[in-house]
Amino acid sequence: ARLLTARLNRAGIRTLAELKRRIDAHGDAKKDSLHGGQASDEQLKDKKIQLTAEDIALFFDQNGLWEEAKALRSDVKKELELQATADGKDALMQSIEGSQTGEGSLLRMDTADSYGLERGDSLEEFDDPGLGRGDSLEDLEGEFE
């Protein structure tokens, strides 16, 4: 609490009422910019607008609280990165689950390794009269099980 008070005092904000007045003014300025200066309309006048994290960081910048703005932006960036990582993990898990059920991906039994082919081998070198040019490994499905 003391640190917050000291930082607000350094920015010229001596009371909570002054802090509230400045935040409200910042919100009103955003409301005016969003509604083309029509915030004086009675419907919009009493309505508060929700400030985003970037709005708060901008408020900090405008009031000389640069360290707080930097910290807030850093926290938001970390949160977005964590969310992106979580979304990526979810997509990966869905892909793995789909591959385990055989939905739209290769299974191990469908690869050349499962037919005894080595890297660089061609179907012509494969010593099986059942395979020829234009034949696919899917045509042999079930023969090697």
Side-chain angles (χ1 to χ4, degrees), residues 120-133:
D121 287 349
S122 68
L123 290 179
E124 287 81 16
E125 296 169 0
F126 192 71
D127 195 22
D128 186 339
L131 282 178
R133 193 170 213 38

Side-chain angles (χ1 to χ4, degrees), residues 1 6 17 26 30 48 59 68 73 98 109 116 119 122 128-129 136 139-140 142:
H26 187 75
K30 179 181 178 181
K48 297 280 185 184
F59 171 80
E68 289 75 12
R73 286 185 177 109
M109 66 181 188
R119 186 176 213 73
S122 68
D128 186 339
S136 68
D139 295 338
L140 298 175

Side-chain angles (χ1 to χ4, degrees), residues 75-91:
D75 289 346
V76 168
K77 182 179 177 184
K78 286 179 187 175
E79 187 175 320
L80 291 174
E81 288 171 354
L82 287 174
Q83 182 63 39
T85 301
D87 291 345
K89 285 181 182 179
D90 290 344

